[in-house]
C-alpha cells in the first residue's frame, strides 16, 4: 500500500499502528488481551454478550408487554400484581429483570423510575439504559424535582396529577405501564406496541399518539 | 457509603441531556468494557454488590468526572488486581507474566443465552417472619455505613410507610464484601415528597425506595 494512499485520519486500521489508539482504547485492549490470555474470559462469550445487549434485548420487548396489557384486562391485572411471570409469558425475562414491578400511570398518578445510586434498570424489557439515566443530573434531580425533569423531556402533567418516583435501590426493577392513547381502538397489538416509546416505560415520556405515528 | 454516588437530591448538575437516537455503545472500547465486566462478574470472584461497592468507592472527583464505562473500567481493573487475578504490571503491558489464578467458572459463548435468559435471582428463603407489613408506619434509620449500602442519604431519619412486601433477598451491604449474612426481607417503603424535601417538595409527590428490613424501624 503506497504511503500516499494511507490516510490515517480518524479511523483505527487495526494493523498495528498502536499510536492511533487513544489511551483508553489501548488500556481496554491490553486488559482484554490479558484476561483472555489468562483464560478468565472467552472471546466467544464477549461477542455473545455484546450482541445480546446491543442488538437483541431492547425496548421493543417492553412495548409488547404494554400493548398486551392495553388489550387484555386479565393480563393487565396479572402484570400489576406479579410482573415477572406475566412478562415471562411473552418470552421476556432474565438478567436484570428477575424481580420486576410494573407500575401504572393513571390520570391521578404518573410514575417515574430512577436509580439514584447507580444505574439499575429493567434490562429484559428496555435493554441497556441510556447515558442520561446513568448520569448525575437525572439521578440527582428525579427524586427532588420530577416536574422539572419531565419538563426537560417535554412532558407537562396537570397539577392534579401526582408523581411517584421509584428509586431502584435493590434488585426489584421497575417498568411504567403508560396510559393507552386516545383514538387507538382499531389498532392491533403490533400497532399499539409501535406507539410505546422507551421513555414512556421509564416515565420520562408518553406514548406516541396514533396521528404522530403515521 | 456516603460517596459521590449517593446523588438523590443533589444540586448543581445541570439539565438532563438526552441524546436523540442514542446508540447503545458510543465507542468500541465501551462495548469491550461491558462484555469484560459481565464475563469477569460471572467467574464468581466477586459479587455484583462488590462491583457496585468498588465503583462507588472511586474518589469522588474521579467518580463524578468519569463517564459511565470509564467507571466500570476503573473498577474492573481494581477488582482484577485486588483479587490477585492479574498483576498491575501485566495490566499495563497487556501481556501475561504469570500463571493464571484459579477462578470458579468461565463463561462460554454458548452459555450466554441460556444463562442470561434465566437470570440470576437474588431472592432467598427468609430466615424468619417479616417484621413489617403493608401499611406499617416506619422510619428509615439514620445510619451511615462506611461500606456499601443501598439506603440513600435523602431518606435517612425520614418517616415513611410500607407499601409492598417483596420477600427475602441477598443483603447487599454484606454481600459486597463476600460476607455471609442471612437474607433480609425487602420492602417498598414510600415517603411523601414533603417529608423528604420540605418546602421544596413537588406537591402531592411521593418517592419510594426498595428497603431492606435492617434499614427500617417502626414508628408510632
Amino acid at each position: 500500500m503506497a504511503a500516499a494512499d494511507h490516510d490515517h485520519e480518524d479511523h483505527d486500521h487495526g494493523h498495528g499502528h498502536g499510536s492511533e489508539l487513544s489511551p483508553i482504547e489501548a488500556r481496554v485492549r491490553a486488559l482484554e488481551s490479558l484476561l483472555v490470555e489468562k483464560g478468565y474470559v472467552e472471546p466467544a462469550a464477549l461477542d455473545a454478550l455484546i450482541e445480546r445487549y446491543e442488538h437483541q434485548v431492547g425496548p421493543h420487548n417492553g412495548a409488547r408487554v404494554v400493548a398486551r396489557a392495553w388489550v387484555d384486562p386479565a393480563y393487565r391485572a396479572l402484570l400489576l400484581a406479579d410482573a415477572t411471570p406475566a412478562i415471562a409469558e411473552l418470552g421476556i425475562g432474565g438478567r436484570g429483570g428477575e424481580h420486576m414491578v410494573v407500575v401504572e400511570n393513571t390520570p391521578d398518578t404518573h410514575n417515574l423510575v430512577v436509580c439514584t445510586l447507580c444505574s439499575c434498570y429493567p434490562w429484559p424489557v428496555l435493554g441497556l439504559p441510556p447515558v442520561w439515566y446513568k448520569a448525575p443530573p437525572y439521578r440527582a434531580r428525579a427524586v427532588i424535582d420530577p416536574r422539572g425533569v419531565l419538563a426537560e423531556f417535554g412532558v407537562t402533567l396537570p397539577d392534579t396529577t401526582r408523581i411517584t418516583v421509584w428509586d431502584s435501590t435493590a434488585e426489584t426493577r421497575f417498568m411504567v405501564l403508560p396510559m393507552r392513547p386516545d383514538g387507538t381502538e382499531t389498532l392491533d397489538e403490533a400497532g399499539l406496541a409501535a406507539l410505546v416509546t422507551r421513555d414512556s416505560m421509564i416515565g420520562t415520556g408518553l406514548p406516541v399518539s396514533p396521528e404522530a405515528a403515521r | 457509603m456516603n460517596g459521590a454516588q449517593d446523588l438523590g437530591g443533589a444540586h448543581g448538575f445541570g439539565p438532563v441531556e438526552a441524546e436523540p437516537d442514542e446508540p447503545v455503545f458510543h465507542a468500541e472500547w465501551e462495548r469491550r468494557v461491558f462484555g469484560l465486566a459481565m464475563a469477569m462478574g460471572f467467574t464468581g470472584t466477586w459479587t455484583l454488590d462488590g462491583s457496585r461497592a468498588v465503583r462507588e468507592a472511586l474518589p469522588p472527583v474521579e467518580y463524578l468526572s468519569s463517564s459511565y464505562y470509564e467507571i466500570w473500567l476503573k473498577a474492573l481493573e481494581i477488582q482484577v488486581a485486588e483479587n490477585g487475578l492479574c498483576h498491575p504490571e501485566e495490566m499495563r503491558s497487556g501481556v501475561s507474566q504469570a500463571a493464571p489464578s484459579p477462578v470458579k467458572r468461565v463463561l462460554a459463548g454458548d452459555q450466554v443465552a441460556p444463562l442470561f435468559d434465566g437470570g440470576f435471582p437474588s431472592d432467598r428463603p427468609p430466615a424468619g417472619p417479616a417484621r413489617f407489613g403493608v401499611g406499617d408506619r416506619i422510619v428509615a434509620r439514620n445510619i451511615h455505613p462506611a461500606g456499601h449500602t443501598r439506603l440513600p442519604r435523602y431518606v435517612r431519619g425520614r418517616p415513611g410507610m410500607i407499601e409492598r412486601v417483596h420477600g427475602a433477598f441477598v443483603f447487599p451491604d454484606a454481600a459486597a464484601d463476600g460476607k455471609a449474612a442471612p437474607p433480609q426481607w425487602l420492602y417498598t417503603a414510600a415517603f411523601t415528597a414533603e417529608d423528604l424535601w420540605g418546602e421544596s417538595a413537588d406537591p402531592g409527590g411521593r418517592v419510594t425506595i426498595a428497603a431492606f428490613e435492617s434499614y427500617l424501624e417502626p414508628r408510632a
Side-chain angles (χ1 to χ4, degrees), chain A residues 27 32 38 40 52 54 94-95 98-99 116 119 131 139-140 143 147 152 163 165-167 169 171, chain B residues 9 16 22 31-32 52 63 68 77 85 90 98 101 116-117 120 122 150 154 197 202 206 208 210:
Chain A
R27 185 170 167 182
E32 176 172 342
K38 294 274 194 187
Y40 304 141
R52 178 185 177 91
E54 187 163 20
R95 205 258 191 217
E98 300 92 340
H99 310 290
T116 61
S119 59
V131 170
R139 288 164 55 186
V143 290
R147 274 181 215 267
E152 286 172 4
I163 300 176
V165 184
W166 303 80
D167 194 356
T169 52
E171 295 305 325
Chain B
V16 177
E22 181 186 321
R31 266 187 206 96
R32 309 317 291 179
R52 292 190 184 120
Y63 181 91
Y68 183 73
E77 289 170 338
L85 297 184
E90 296 178 307
S101 302
F116 283 73
D117 281 346
F120 306 91
S122 311
R150 296 296 290 189
Y154 70 86
W197 314 115
D202 172 45
R206 299 181 329 132
T208 78

Side-chain angles (χ1 to χ4, degrees), chain A residues 74-158:
Chain A
Y75 183 77
R76 180 195 189 92
L78 176 65
L79 186 63
L80 296 175
D82 198 1
T84 308
I87 293 167
E89 279 185 24
L90 301 188
I92 300 164
R95 205 258 191 217
E98 300 92 340
H99 310 290
M100 289 296 303
V101 175
V102 173
V103 291
E104 63 167 347
N105 285 352
T106 70
D108 300 322
T109 301
H110 183 88
N111 296 286
L112 186 63
V113 179
V114 66
C115 178
T116 61
L117 297 174
C118 53
S119 59
C120 301
Y121 190 76
W123 287 11
V125 288
L126 296 186
L128 296 183
V131 170
W132 61 258
Y133 183 89
K134 305 179 283 194
Y138 184 73
R139 288 164 55 186
R141 292 175 50 225
V143 290
I144 190 171
D145 183 23
R147 274 181 215 267
V149 169
L150 288 174
E152 286 172 4
F153 280 92
V155 176
T156 305
L157 302 170

Side-chain angles (χ1 to χ4, degrees), chain B residues 23-50:
Chain B
V24 176
F25 299 108
H26 289 73
E28 180 63 17
W29 72 263
E30 289 194 339
R31 266 187 206 96
R32 309 317 291 179
V33 166
F34 171 77
L36 290 171
M38 300 295 292
M40 287 305 297
F42 183 77
T43 66
T45 312
W46 52 76
T47 61
L48 176 57
D49 305 295

Side-chain angles (χ1 to χ4, degrees), chain A:
Chain A
M1 187 185 305
D5 300 332
H6 206 163
D7 181 3
H8 281 250
E9 284 174 18
D10 70 34
H11 62 285
D12 175 3
H13 294 257
H15 62 167
H17 293 312
S19 61
E20 286 188 14
L21 294 181
S22 69
I24 197 157
E25 287 167 339
R27 185 170 167 182
V28 173
R29 215 173 257 213
L31 182 63
E32 176 172 342
S33 231
L34 181 62
L35 295 176
V36 168
E37 187 180 348
K38 294 274 194 187
Y40 304 141
V41 171
E42 288 192 11
L46 287 181
D47 293 341
L49 285 163
I50 294 164
E51 170 67 21
R52 178 185 177 91
Y53 288 102
E54 187 163 20
H55 298 294
Q56 294 169 6
V57 180
H60 54 277
N61 289 345
R64 287 175 48 219
V65 173
V66 170
R68 175 66 58 91
W70 282 349
V71 305
D72 183 342
Y75 183 77
R76 180 195 189 92
L78 176 65
L79 186 63
L80 296 175
D82 198 1
T84 308
I87 293 167
E89 279 185 24
L90 301 188
I92 300 164
R95 205 258 191 217
E98 300 92 340
H99 310 290
M100 289 296 303
V101 175
V102 173
V103 291
E104 63 167 347
N105 285 352
T106 70
D108 300 322
T109 301
H110 183 88
N111 296 286
L112 186 63
V113 179
V114 66
C115 178
T116 61
L117 297 174
C118 53
S119 59
C120 301
Y121 190 76
W123 287 11
V125 288
L126 296 186
L128 296 183
V131 170
W132 61 258
Y133 183 89
K134 305 179 283 194
Y138 184 73
R139 288 164 55 186
R141 292 175 50 225
V143 290
I144 190 171
D145 183 23
R147 274 181 215 267
V149 169
L150 288 174
E152 286 172 4
F153 280 92
V155 176
T156 305
L157 302 170
D159 289 343
T160 49
T161 302
R162 301 182 180 198
I163 300 176
T164 298
V165 184
W166 303 80
D167 194 356
S168 315
T169 52
E171 295 305 325
T172 43
R173 294 282 171 274
F174 300 91
M175 190 186 88
V176 174
L177 173 58
M179 288 192 285
R180 179 174 179 167
D182 293 334
T184 59
E185 296 76 12
T186 58
L187 293 179
D188 64 6
E189 269 185 67
L192 289 169
L195 305 180
V196 182
T197 63
R198 187 267 317 274
D199 287 359
S200 72
M201 294 182 279
I202 299 172
T204 50
L206 301 173
V208 174
S209 71
E211 295 78 37
R214 270 199 284 275

Side-chain angles (χ1 to χ4, degrees), chain B residues 139-141 151-159 191 196 207 209:
Chain B
V139 60
R141 293 174 63 210
L151 181 65
R153 273 179 287 182
Y154 70 86
V155 301
R156 295 174 191 171
R158 302 296 180 197
F191 302 81
L196 294 179
V207 181
I209 68 164

Side-chain angles (χ1 to χ4, degrees), chain B residues 34-105:
Chain B
F34 171 77
L36 290 171
M38 300 295 292
M40 287 305 297
F42 183 77
T43 66
T45 312
W46 52 76
T47 61
L48 176 57
D49 305 295
S51 296
R52 292 190 184 120
V54 174
R55 292 169 193 159
E56 69 201 20
L58 290 172
V61 171
E62 186 169 3
Y63 181 91
L64 292 173
S65 56
S66 297
S67 71
Y68 183 73
Y69 285 111
E70 283 176 338
I71 293 170
W72 275 41
L73 172 62
K74 291 173 183 182
L76 179 61
E77 289 170 338
I78 290 167
Q79 290 178 288
V80 163
E82 282 187 350
N83 284 279
L85 297 184
C86 298
H87 190 275
E89 180 46 45
E90 296 178 307
M91 291 166 65
R92 273 188 285 279
S93 68
V95 176
S96 176
Q97 293 161 16
S101 302
V103 293
K104 290 177 194 157
R105 60 190 86 93

